Structures are given as C-alpha cells and as structure tokens.
Amino acid sequence: MPSGASSLDSSTCWRFKKGTQACTPQILMSKFLNMFYFLPSLQVLAENLTMVTEFLSLGFSSLGEIQLALFVVFLFLYLVILSGNITIISVIHLGQSLHTPKYFFLVILSTSETFYTFAILSKMLINLLSVARTIFFMCCAIQMFFFLGFAITNCLLLGVMGYDHYAAICHPRHYPILMSWQVCGKLAAVCGTGSFLASLTVVSFVFSLPFCSANKVNHYFCDISPVICLACTNTDVNEFVIFICGVLVLVVPFFFICISYLCILRTILKIPSAEGRRKAFPTCVSHLIVVIVHYGCASFIYLRPTANYVFNKDRLVTVTYTTVTPLLNPMINSLRNKDVQLAIKKVLGKKE
C-alpha cells in the first residue's frame, strides 16, 4: 500500500453513535465540498476503496544536489518580491500624491501577490531542503484554494486597471465620476469576492473526486492538473467545469483589456503633440507587459486538457507565472514609475 493511503473499512472509522461514523479527512472534505453543488455521479464512495490521506510533492526532487542552489535562487526571488511589494504598499500609503484610483488598485495587487507567492513559495522552499515532501489532503486543498483565490484576484485586478487606464485617457473629463472612490471600492470587492468564489468552485470539483492509491503530485505545489490526474475515476465533467471557470477568469478579462487598449491606442494617436503621446504610452506599456506575461503563461497552463500536462516540459512556464510574474509588478509596473520614485525620495527625505 502506498505512503499516504489507508484502507477505508470499518477499522479505519471511529463510531460515535449507533449507525454513525467519521472517516478519513478526505471523506469529511468531500462531504463538505459536495454541499456546494449537486452532482450525484461525483459523490465519493468510501467503501472498499484505498483512499489517499496525504500527497507526496515531487517538485524538483529529480534534480538532486541542484535543489540547494534552487533554494538560494527562489529564496532570493521571494525576498525581492516581498520587499518590493511592501515598499510599494508603504510608499503609496505615505505619499498623499499617490492616493488615486490607479495606485489604490496597485496596492491591492501588491497585497494579493504577496499572499499569492507566500501560498506557493513557502512550502516549496521547505520541500527543497527536506526529505519528506508530504502534504496532508486537507492542507493540499487549502493551498490550492488560496493560490487560486489570489491568482484569480490578480487576473481581475489587471482587467480593472486596464479599465482605469481607458477611463483616464479616453474620458478624462468624466474620470472622477467613472472611477470615484465608491466605484473603486465596489470593483475591489467584486474582484476579491468573485475570485474566492471561483476558487471554491474549482477546489470543490477537484477534491470531490476519489483519490485511491496514486499520491505523487508531479509539481512543487498543489496545482489543478497534477492533482486531478491522480483521481481514480473519470474526470471529464470536472475538467469541463474547471475549463469554463478558466475561460471566465482568463479569457473574458483579457478580452476587455484588449478592447480597452484598442480604444486607448486610437485616442493616443489623435493627440496632436508628440510630447502628449510620449506621456501616455509608458504607463500603458508597463501594464501591458505584466498582462501579456501573466495571461499568456496562465492560459498556456490552465486552458488545455489535463492529459496534456507534463511538468518537466511545462516547468519553465510554471516558474514564470508563480515567480517571475509577481516580480514584474513591483519592478516594472510600480518602482519604474516616476510618481512612485518621487514619492520614495520624499519619504526617505522625511526620515532623514
């Protein structure tokens, strides 16, 4: 019997009252998740199955001694991401001139990406130094929930920031109304609430499946494809629902961003002065770089069948959207911004 699996018979359950019993964490998790939707064919049958109670994260274990060097690299990247995002949040909070809708959403994006990287890299760094790379079933579901929640939040925020640029450039006279603080608050609330509801839906459809014996996750964190391919039943319905969620959180926001920037480009080309055009382009270009990298990598991984997932081939793309993309926001979208640089100098000048 594989590590992390246990036979679900009467000996593995604890009887509290006559006719009732409590089973392994997976059965409890499945019953909890199944409250959110009603698909009888997806109900997990505990009898006569060998159910997984923990997963083994393979990660970069095949690289042997190189893992120590990877630990140093990823630790450095994590500290840079963390310090960059904290700097952005602090500077925007202290700089009165940055209290605008644009930087309001940058603060939320930096906060989301801080928790997003923590949900992934903290466990990965531990695994790079440890021999036992196990993660309990419930912990795996929790990691996936928070990872997807903050990842989807980032996608929706990038879409909202694209709309903010559109309103500022194409409708400057109506901008105070289009992007009032009340509107910004509602947009932020919709992004956060919608993201974690979508995450809950995806996690429900993944962890309602039965995991019988295979428990080796060919990834460095609990992602959708590496986990769902371990299920010991047909996953077509689950994968279809997850694909629809992926389209809603990736394709739809990206479509609106493209429309926004087509309108922005048309407006910029109508500006008579070359200086005016030069002022409008930099902010849009920095945002577009982050959008292309983020949506491009995420779409490549999530908008395709699970059967096509191969960790060894997709490793570079996976590292890009989990590590490099969060690094781009503080480095390109904010710290290279002249307004942010000026605010940093003012803050440092006050301290001196």
Side-chain angles (χ1 to χ4, degrees), residues 26-162:
Q26 181 180 352
I27 300 303
L28 296 175
M29 182 72 174
S30 299
K31 289 181 179 179
F32 171 75
L33 293 174
N34 283 333
M35 291 191 297
F36 295 100
Y37 57 90
F38 301 91
L39 293 174
S41 62
L42 298 180
Q43 298 297 321
V44 180
L45 300 177
E47 299 177 359
N48 300 322
L49 288 177
T50 302
M51 306 299 286
V52 171
T53 58
E54 62 182 24
F55 293 106
L56 177 64
S57 178
L58 298 181
F60 299 98
S61 57
S62 61
L63 299 180
E65 296 179 356
I66 302 178
Q67 291 180 91
L68 183 59
L70 287 176
F71 172 83
V72 175
V73 171
F74 283 119
L75 178 61
F76 173 75
L77 291 175
Y78 178 63
L79 293 177
V80 171
I81 294 169
L82 187 63
S83 58
N85 286 324
I86 291 175
T87 300
I88 291 170
I89 295 169
S90 303
V91 168
I92 294 176
H93 175 71
L94 296 173
Q96 294 294 326
S97 62
L98 300 180
H99 290 182
T100 61
K102 172 185 175 180
Y103 295 105
F104 168 73
F105 290 115
L106 271 179
V107 167
I108 299 176
L109 182 62
S110 297
T111 304
S112 177
E113 288 192 335
T114 300
F115 289 106
Y116 167 80
T117 52
F118 176 78
I120 301 171
L121 295 184
S122 57
K123 180 62 176 176
M124 184 188 73
L125 290 171
I126 294 173
N127 287 343
L128 284 172
L129 293 180
S130 62
V131 177
R133 298 181 173 88
T134 56
I135 180 170
F136 288 111
F137 185 90
M138 185 73 74
C139 294
C140 186
I142 292 172
Q143 184 187 43
M144 185 182 294
F145 171 74
F146 283 108
F147 155 68
L148 289 176
F150 289 116
I152 297 171
T153 300
N154 295 344
C155 289
L156 299 183
L157 283 173
L158 288 174
V160 171
M161 291 169 70

Side-chain angles (χ1 to χ4, degrees), residues 55-318:
F55 293 106
L56 177 64
S57 178
L58 298 181
F60 299 98
S61 57
S62 61
L63 299 180
E65 296 179 356
I66 302 178
Q67 291 180 91
L68 183 59
L70 287 176
F71 172 83
V72 175
V73 171
F74 283 119
L75 178 61
F76 173 75
L77 291 175
Y78 178 63
L79 293 177
V80 171
I81 294 169
L82 187 63
S83 58
N85 286 324
I86 291 175
T87 300
I88 291 170
I89 295 169
S90 303
V91 168
I92 294 176
H93 175 71
L94 296 173
Q96 294 294 326
S97 62
L98 300 180
H99 290 182
T100 61
K102 172 185 175 180
Y103 295 105
F104 168 73
F105 290 115
L106 271 179
V107 167
I108 299 176
L109 182 62
S110 297
T111 304
S112 177
E113 288 192 335
T114 300
F115 289 106
Y116 167 80
T117 52
F118 176 78
I120 301 171
L121 295 184
S122 57
K123 180 62 176 176
M124 184 188 73
L125 290 171
I126 294 173
N127 287 343
L128 284 172
L129 293 180
S130 62
V131 177
R133 298 181 173 88
T134 56
I135 180 170
F136 288 111
F137 185 90
M138 185 73 74
C139 294
C140 186
I142 292 172
Q143 184 187 43
M144 185 182 294
F145 171 74
F146 283 108
F147 155 68
L148 289 176
F150 289 116
I152 297 171
T153 300
N154 295 344
C155 289
L156 299 183
L157 283 173
L158 288 174
V160 171
M161 291 169 70
Y163 171 74
D164 176 68
H165 291 159
Y166 162 78
I169 296 174
C170 299
H171 302 282
R173 294 181 180 179
H174 299 94
Y175 182 77
I177 299 174
L178 293 174
M179 295 302 293
S180 65
W181 286 114
Q182 186 177 8
V183 172
C184 291
K186 290 180 179 179
L187 288 173
V190 169
C191 287
T193 305
S195 299
F196 282 94
L197 285 176
S199 176
L200 180 62
T201 302
V202 172
V203 173
S204 300
F205 274 89
V206 172
F207 287 91
S208 64
L209 294 166
F211 298 90
C212 304
S213 56
N215 71 328
K216 294 181 180 179
V217 178
N218 194 18
H219 211 324
Y220 53 84
F221 70 98
C222 289
D223 204 357
I224 298 172
S225 295
V227 173
I228 203 171
C229 68
L230 299 178
C232 53
T233 188
N234 186 281
T235 62
D236 290 344
V237 175
N238 303 63
E239 289 189 51
F240 177 75
V241 174
I242 292 170
F243 175 79
I244 295 300
C245 291
V247 170
L248 291 176
V249 301
L250 288 173
V251 178
V252 174
F254 184 72
F255 176 73
F256 281 108
I257 290 174
C258 291
I259 294 177
S260 298
Y261 274 99
L262 286 175
C263 296
I264 289 171
L265 181 62
R266 186 179 62 180
T267 302
I268 290 176
L269 293 176
K270 291 180 180 179
I271 298 176
S273 65
E275 184 180 354
R277 290 193 294 268
R278 281 197 300 268
K279 288 182 179 179
F281 267 118
T283 302
C284 297
V285 170
S286 62
H287 179 250
L288 275 175
I289 292 173
V290 176
V291 166
I292 291 171
V293 175
H294 184 87
Y295 282 94
C297 294
S299 298
F300 178 78
I301 295 295
Y302 296 109
L303 297 183
R304 60 177 181 165
T306 300
N308 293 346
Y309 172 80
V310 181
F311 176 65
N312 293 332
K313 294 182 179 179
D314 299 338
R315 183 178 295 166
L316 181 60
V317 178
T318 306

